[in-house]
Amino acid sequence: MSATQPAIGSQLADQLDRLQAGSRTAAADIFSLALEPLIAFVLSRNRAVQREDARDIAVDAIMALISEPSAVDPTKGSAWSYLCMVAGRDATDQVRTRARQKRLLEKAGMDVELWSGCANNVERMEVEADARKVLELYGDQLVTNESERRLLTLMLLGERETADYATA
């Protein structure tokens, strides 16, 4: 605990008392007193959190204190320890959430890649089915021998390899 934290703790306790007594300026005083030290606390405890996110986390913790000052039980801890607990928990949650989102996005990327390959296979299967249907309906009228039937099948399937045509 640094030398400034006990001072912040006692000043916060005074401001919290003022807030609970109905002071109109106590909330603003709590913000001006606690915001920067709480941002510094979040950044020192969790290096994966960016400064902008640490600021949001600190503001949320201060808002929780201001909106529910009775959440601080002076027999269990100070307003400063309450702010640190809330901000630390939120920072940890944010890091876990971002890691989970990153894993899900990576997995989704693999799934999209996999399904995009399957989509091509489905399209090819549809073309093959169409080619078979054309041969069933009109094959006898279009070809005169088995060699022509194989060539027509290759064309309908969109075959591009000349070697396949040569062996047909």
Side-chain angles (χ1 to χ4, degrees), residues 73-99:
D73 181 357
T75 63
K76 293 183 180 179
S78 67
W80 175 250
S81 64
Y82 173 83
L83 288 174
C84 291
M85 178 193 68
V86 170
R89 180 196 63 213
D90 289 351
T92 300
D93 288 347
Q94 183 187 70
V95 169
R96 287 180 181 156
T97 299
R98 293 236 169 111

Side-chain angles (χ1 to χ4, degrees), residues 136-148:
E136 287 172 14
L137 294 174
Y138 306 107
D140 294 337
Q141 299 167 17
L142 296 172
V143 297
T144 58
N145 60 41
E146 189 56 35
S147 180
E148 287 180 355

Side-chain angles (χ1 to χ4, degrees), residues 18-86:
R18 286 183 52 229
L19 181 69
Q20 289 173 324
S23 170
R24 294 183 184 188
T25 60
D29 293 339
I30 290 172
F31 260 101
S32 63
L33 178 65
L35 185 61
E36 286 303 319
L38 195 53
I39 292 170
F41 170 81
V42 170
L43 291 173
S44 71
R45 297 286 194 244
N46 201 323
R47 302 208 188 281
V49 175
Q50 300 295 314
R51 179 159 179 81
E52 300 81 27
D53 295 329
R55 184 178 186 351
D56 292 342
I57 290 167
V59 167
D60 290 346
I62 294 169
M63 286 300 299
L65 174 66
I66 290 170
S67 64
E68 192 63 46
S70 62
V72 176
D73 181 357
T75 63
K76 293 183 180 179
S78 67
W80 175 250
S81 64
Y82 173 83
L83 288 174
C84 291
M85 178 193 68
V86 170

